[in-house]
Amino acid sequence: MANKAGAAGARSPLSLVVAMALCCFFYVLGAWQRSGYGKGDSIAAAVTRGTACGGDGAVAAGLSFDTHHNGGANFSGENDDASPPPLFPACAASLADHTPCHDQDRAMTFPRKNMVYRERHCPPAGERLRCLVPAPRGYVTPFPWPASRDVVPFANAPYKSLTVEKAVQNWVRHEGALLRFPGGGTQFPQGADKYIDQLAAAAAGVGVPFFGSGVRTVLDTGCGVASLGAYLDARGVAAMSFAPRDSHEAQVQFALERGVPAFVGVLGSVKLPFPRAAFDMAHCSRCLIPWGGDDSNNGGIYMMEIDRVLRPGGYWVLSGPPINWKANHRAWERTEDDLAGEQRRIEDRAAKLCWEKVAEVNEIAVWRKKRPDSTCSPAVRTCDTGNPDDVWYKDMEPCVTPPPPGAGKGELQPFPARLMAVPPRVSSGAVPGFATAEEYAEENRRWERHVAAYRKVNRKLDGGSGRYRNIMDMNAGVGGFAAAVFSSKSWVMNVVPTVAEIATLGVIYERGLIGMYHDWCEAFSTYPRTYDLIHANGIFTLYKDRCKMEDILLEMDRILRPEGTVILRDDVEVLLKVQRMVKGMRWKTLMADHEDSPHIPEKVLYAVKQYWTAGDEGSAEEKEGGSSEGKGSEE
């Protein structure tokens, strides 16, 4: 009996090895048969390089998710292919801050009226760059949050104009190899923290709940370097900040480099890329927006746009001119009549929109948007557009947008309970596919499983590591990924594609998260190197036959920081095409099975962008402003 037991024990490991070998063989054979490429050896390598048959799924052998600051990345385990992938050369060093849809030269060809020239104006397909936007020489990984709030490496955004122009207001200081952000602003030179205390005190004086209870999402218009958003973060508030790309060089770039949510944008002639009733508060501190307007030019249309994106019961804060003009008109170098007229128009527009003025303390005024069950009826016509959330490139209208289903039926829960509570848009049945609370809960559970599998491959995705501060989800759905990775050390830009079947961005805001609409056939409204991690669920399947895969990948590369991470979830055949293409983009990749079964066609592709900077090649062509193929730190 002992001999038989010993023989059985001896055979068990061999049986296990054979079983695993057969499992992997048939899986690879199936992948090859489905692929249509006819190259079984390369398909096998691509699919199984990081896949463990019968185990936990992916094994991230050889793929490093760490940063190396000086560019000393050491990657191994690169997936080979029998044929060379397309190679994308490095763009010229002068294009290190290339922002395609906000190009200064193109902008100057558009009308100045209503700030049209500061809006998005994307290049036609034939003028798109087919090269990789380089990081500037000396680029280093930004400091982890919250250190990055105050200090940024000068090499990453080497601009000094604001340090001189705004020196008195304490926006930013240049200190050798660093840029230091004291937290100041034009309206709060003593710091954003003290200013936030003033806002809270102004509201508390009339019993209005602000930070820590009633306000979670804030829209900061004309944000400067987004110090308000940077300091609101510590109070559990998520601020979406924006400013135009104008003579104030690199302000939005500074904001994102610090780790603060921001995008390049302006209140001009088209609607903001947000759904109705999104924000708990909208804020303007000397943002230079003509809120009152005049009757000959759709007077008050910008206040109507704020009304559209402000949820019922939400607040609008205006600080600086013309508030308290009697005490400040000389300092502001404007006449009393001019300032008095401006404030009168603002007060009149607010009353017509049914905004109640709840506080005015010194130079800070606060209005509250009344709820749908209020006795006040707006003295402005109601918009009659078919889909109120169809806003992409749509002109602003001098009308009031009706609230969404469920609005005004009780307060949203305080954050973080709000993150997982059933949003009013879901409970009211306004979101197809989520007709019940259980369907919504199952979607959240699904993303918790996905993210748990991601963390087995990339332990740096754990929120406590602080590795990823700026995160983007390119196809956010109802925000399940963002909720699953939520951490006080990071934030997620939840993007809902304009081509998505369901407009879910309103749900995301009701959860206390932030995001925006975007069409991925165009460049995103941000500077290069602004995200540490990009997640994309089904993005290439969604955009199949709409635009080129390489255009989307090049845009992802542009906005991803050196040594940043990409997680793509899609059909295996789609991801194999992606995997082959990004070999020519200096990305290292790892393919992994779906966490539930290796037989599910949906796979996950992990990628890390290598560290390299402008001029690494040292070629004459590069130095002269041309482009050339770059070797960077490839081995």
Side-chain angles (χ1 to χ4, degrees):
M1 291 292 292
N3 289 339
K4 289 182 180 180
R11 285 196 300 269
S12 295
L14 178 61
S15 301
L16 180 61
V17 170
V18 171
M20 291 182 68
L22 287 172
C23 172
C24 291
F25 171 77
F26 285 114
Y27 174 75
V28 170
L29 179 63
W32 171 67
Q33 289 173 334
R34 288 193 305 270
S35 70
Y37 290 104
K39 297 179 181 177
D41 53 349
S42 62
I43 298 293
V47 176
T48 64
R49 177 72 63 173
T51 302
C53 214
D56 287 334
V59 179
L63 191 63
S64 172
F65 296 100
D66 288 304
T67 58
H68 299 79
H69 297 289
N70 62 353
N74 181 20
F75 297 102
S76 61
E78 181 178 9
N79 297 304
D80 297 322
D81 196 293
S83 59
L87 293 177
F88 297 94
C91 302
S94 59
L95 294 172
D97 291 333
H98 179 57
T99 309
C101 297
H102 299 274
D103 177 75
Q104 287 287 72
D105 293 336
R106 185 180 300 107
M108 299 309 289
T109 65
F110 287 87
R112 304 294 194 274
K113 184 179 180 181
N114 295 335
M115 297 290 284
V116 169
Y117 75 119
R118 294 300 183 197
E119 295 179 326
R120 288 176 56 87
H121 301 291
C122 301
E127 295 180 15
R128 288 184 175 181
L129 295 182
R130 290 293 188 272
C131 55
L132 306 177
V133 175
R137 254 197 187 287
Y139 178 91
V140 295
T141 303
F143 301 110
W145 185 266
S148 65
R149 183 193 69 181
D150 304 324
V151 182
V152 165
F154 178 70
N156 292 12
Y159 303 111
K160 298 181 181 179
S161 65
L162 280 180
T163 67
V164 177
E165 184 178 347
K166 299 293 182 180
V168 177
Q169 285 106 10
N170 281 331
W171 280 30
V172 56
R173 299 172 186 163
H174 179 219
E175 300 178 357
L178 300 174
L179 290 169
R180 186 173 299 278
F181 296 86
T186 305
Q187 189 61 29
F188 39 92
Q190 294 182 332
D193 237 4
K194 289 186 178 180
Y195 175 76
I196 293 169
D197 287 339
Q198 292 172 350
L199 291 180
V206 290
V208 174
F210 251 14
F211 312 119
S213 55
V215 172
R216 163 63 185 174
T217 56
V218 171
L219 178 66
D220 190 16
T221 58
C223 65
V225 296
S227 286
L228 179 74
Y231 282 84
L232 281 174
D233 182 272
R235 308 196 187 207
V237 176
M240 177 72 83
S241 303
F242 71 92
R245 182 171 185 172
D246 59 9
S247 58
H248 289 172
E249 190 177 52
Q251 49 189 333
V252 170
Q253 186 177 22
F254 285 158
L256 285 155
E257 196 68 28
R258 298 171 71 185
V260 182
F263 70 100
V264 182
V266 66
L267 268 173
S269 66
V270 298
K271 296 179 180 180
L272 294 170
F274 307 117
R276 54 185 167 158
F279 295 94
D280 302 325
M281 175 189 287
H283 172 266
C284 164
S285 172
R286 298 196 72 168
C287 59
L288 304 180
I289 295 171
W291 296 111
D294 58 66
D295 293 327
S296 64
N297 187 28
N298 291 332
I301 196 169
Y302 294 139
M303 291 178 68
M304 295 177 203
E305 179 63 2
I306 293 298
D307 183 83
R308 183 183 69 81
V309 302
L310 197 62
R311 71 172 177 86
Y315 304 96
W316 184 55
V317 175
L318 177 62
S319 68
I323 306 303
N324 197 17
W325 57 267
K326 291 181 180 179
N328 294 288
H329 66 93
R330 289 188 179 87
W332 293 336
E333 297 181 349
R334 292 176 59 183
T335 67
E336 294 182 68
D337 288 345
D338 179 27
L339 288 163
E342 182 180 352
Q343 179 150 357
R344 185 172 56 253
R345 288 192 296 274
I346 290 172
E347 301 275 9
D348 179 63
R349 316 284 187 210
K352 289 181 177 178
L353 292 170
C354 290
W355 294 1
E356 178 189 7
K357 193 173 187 180
V358 295
E360 182 173 330
V361 180
N362 298 323
E363 297 169 23
I364 298 173
V366 181
W367 284 265
R368 187 174 193 181
K369 177 179 175 178
K370 291 193 175 181
R371 300 184 179 281
D373 55 3
S374 167
T375 56
C376 178
S377 298
V380 181
R381 75 174 180 88
T382 301
C383 301
D384 54 5
T385 52
N387 180 1
D389 291 333
D390 180 15
V391 298
W392 190 245
Y393 288 131
K394 297 296 190 298
D395 290 338
M396 289 185 195
E397 300 176 84
C399 57
V400 172
T401 303
K409 295 181 179 178
E411 291 281 355
L412 293 170
Q413 294 189 31
F415 199 83
R418 178 173 165 182
L419 183 64
M420 302 308 295
V422 180
R425 282 173 169 88
V426 171
S427 60
S428 65
V431 184
F434 300 99
T436 66
E438 178 54 34
E439 288 175 329
Y440 175 72
E442 175 53 36
E443 175 72 356
N444 289 325
R445 288 192 291 267
R446 180 170 75 92
W447 279 106
E448 287 171 358
R449 293 196 303 272
H450 289 338
V451 170
Y454 295 164
R455 285 175 173 149
K456 289 181 181 179
V457 176
N458 180 2
R459 292 181 176 86
K460 298 293 182 180
L461 194 57
D462 187 327
S465 74
R467 168 66 180 87
Y468 305 112
R469 169 64 182 174
N470 300 0
I471 301 174
M472 172 179 282
D473 191 359
M474 295 176 66
N475 187 16
V478 293
F481 169 78
V485 301
F486 177 77
S487 165
S488 61
K489 293 185 178 180
S490 65
W491 60 273
V492 179
M493 177 69 82
N494 292 282
V495 179
V496 173
T498 57
V499 300
E501 291 185 5
I502 306 173
T504 53
L505 193 52
V507 173
I508 288 169
Y509 274 95
E510 288 179 344
R511 300 187 73 163
L513 302 170
I514 58 174
M516 57 195 295
Y517 292 115
H518 182 66
D519 182 355
W520 286 111
C521 289
E522 299 181 356
F524 196 71
S525 290
T526 192
Y527 283 82
R529 303 172 303 282
T530 49
Y531 288 91
D532 302 297
L533 184 147
I534 298 175
H535 176 261
N537 173 43
I539 200 72
F540 295 105
T541 294
L542 181 64
Y543 277 92
K544 183 180 180 181
D545 301 326
R546 296 181 187 273
C547 49
K548 293 181 179 179
M549 176 184 286
E550 70 180 60
D551 287 336
I552 297 176
L553 287 169
L554 286 170
E555 177 60 6
M556 293 170 69
D557 183 85
R558 185 185 74 87
I559 66 178
L560 185 67
R561 286 173 170 165
E563 298 182 305
T565 299
V566 176
I567 302 176
L568 300 175
R569 178 177 287 270
D570 217 314
D571 183 84
V572 62
E573 294 192 15
V574 172
L575 292 184
L576 287 171
K577 294 177 183 178
V578 170
Q579 188 176 44
R580 181 176 182 275
M581 185 169 290
V582 301
K583 287 182 185 178
M585 293 173 56
R586 312 185 196 196
W587 291 12
K588 299 297 182 180
T589 61
L590 173 83
M591 187 82 78
D593 278 330
H594 191 287
E595 60 273 7
D596 292 342
S597 169
H599 303 294
I600 296 176
E602 181 180 274
K603 307 297 176 186
V604 180
L605 182 67
Y606 300 86
V608 175
K609 176 180 174 178
Q610 289 183 278
Y611 176 96
W612 62 279
T613 67
D616 278 353
E617 298 81 3
S619 69
E621 184 180 8
E622 173 65 21
K623 291 177 181 177
E624 293 170 5
S627 61
S628 61
E629 178 187 344
K631 296 181 176 62
S633 57
E634 290 180 324
E635 300 178 358

